[in-house]
Amino acid sequence: MKTPAILFFLALSLPLTAAACPIGMQFNGNGCSPPYQYSMDDWIRQQRDYVDSLGPKGPPAQGLTLEESRALQKGLAEQEKEQQEKRRAHAKGVWHVETKATPEGNLCAAVFSKYKLDEGGVVTIVGFQKPKTDAWLIFQGAGLPKPQKVEKLRITLQQDDEPAQTLQVFNYRESREVGTVMFAVPGLAAALDGMRDQQSFRLSLDGKTLMAIQWTGGAAVIEKLRQCAK
């Protein structure tokens, strides 16, 4: 019998305001985040890596001395070498798992990054330890809408060969280059029951694909999240 897909979605019935976020999330001045300050260093690093992978953001500085210009060029060459190594790794796909203790139990997150040029993106599964039911599935990608404030829209999600679902989600701009789409799910345990070792996702709007990504090697991550969520 086929394992059910990762998501059994909750209705998102909050009134739409400039700071609307899914239940359990809080508005952080730009988008939505969990209600506790927590160190998701790898998540933040992967977001920055993803933005950096999209290319240079402007022309080199002007009016430098010869020595300053050479130092700048050397620094840029080293930075580009580092970015190339990161891009090669992320083109294959990279997982990270993070845990943060909070007054309401562990906050557990798994982050998968896979991108090449402007394809792919970052997928995050994040939620609280039982019995708290707040949990979310978050997609970040260059092709996702990038509104100035948090908004709701209807996105069609195709998981593997499961029937596509059109659902209301929260959408905001992570940066000028990257948009975020956030789904609320009924608990981390339910999300884990639907996770597979290999899984694909396709997000589309009005028939146009906005983001497509497939992870592999999810079995070990699922087990780590189960331990965190107990």
Side-chain angles (χ1 to χ4, degrees):
M1 181 177 177
K2 178 179 287 189
T3 304
I6 187 172
L7 296 178
F8 299 90
F9 291 99
L10 297 176
L12 304 180
S13 57
L14 291 177
L16 181 58
T17 67
C21 286
I23 294 173
M25 285 272 179
Q26 64 182 12
F27 183 66
N28 60 21
N30 178 61
C32 303
S33 64
Y36 296 98
Q37 294 294 325
Y38 63 105
S39 176
M40 301 291 275
D41 293 336
D42 286 319
W43 183 15
I44 295 169
R45 189 177 301 115
Q46 290 199 57
Q47 291 174 323
R48 291 173 179 169
D49 288 347
Y50 179 42
V51 172
D52 290 343
S53 77
L54 301 177
K57 304 303 180 291
Q62 302 294 318
L64 301 178
T65 66
L66 180 60
E67 182 177 351
E68 289 172 336
S69 180
R70 287 174 176 171
L72 175 62
Q73 293 301 318
K74 181 180 179 181
L76 290 174
E78 293 174 350
Q79 185 181 48
E80 178 58 25
K81 181 179 179 181
E82 180 181 352
Q83 288 302 322
Q84 286 179 354
E85 292 174 355
K86 290 179 179 179
R87 285 194 287 267
R88 282 193 290 269
H90 286 285
K92 298 178 181 178
V94 178
W95 279 104
H96 287 289
V97 178
E98 296 275 349
T99 301
K100 170 67 177 181
T102 80
E104 297 182 80
N106 288 334
L107 182 61
C108 316
V111 186
F112 180 75
S113 300
K114 184 176 183 180
Y115 44 80
K116 186 176 182 180
L117 299 177
D118 59 350
E119 297 178 357
V122 180
V123 184
T124 302
I125 303 100
V126 59
F128 281 95
Q129 186 179 33
K130 294 179 182 178
K132 192 172 175 63
T133 58
D134 294 338
W136 309 272
L137 178 68
I138 305 167
F139 293 90
Q140 294 170 311
L144 296 175
K146 309 170 189 66
Q148 294 283 347
K149 61 182 181 180
V150 180
E151 296 181 354
K152 292 180 183 179
L153 76 163
R154 295 187 66 80
I155 287 280
T156 299
L157 175 65
Q158 173 80 46
Q159 300 182 79
D160 295 325
D161 57 355
E162 299 286 334
Q165 303 175 73
T166 299
L167 302 145
Q168 183 175 253
V169 300
F170 287 86
N171 173 224
Y172 57 90
R173 184 172 67 177
E174 183 64 36
S175 69
R176 185 176 61 183
E177 298 85 3
V178 177
T180 297
V181 166
M182 180 179 293
F183 298 85
V185 298
L188 185 57
L192 292 175
D193 286 342
M195 283 181 64
R196 303 164 183 162
D197 183 63
Q198 179 173 308
Q199 200 154 4
S200 64
F201 303 88
R202 183 177 299 275
L203 281 71
S204 59
L205 180 65
D206 298 328
K208 177 184 177 182
T209 297
L210 305 178
M211 177 178 172
I213 189 169
Q214 181 183 61
W215 73 46
T216 57
V221 173
I222 294 169
E223 182 57 32
K224 289 181 180 179
L225 286 179
R226 288 194 191 283
Q227 294 301 314
C228 178
K230 286 183 177 180

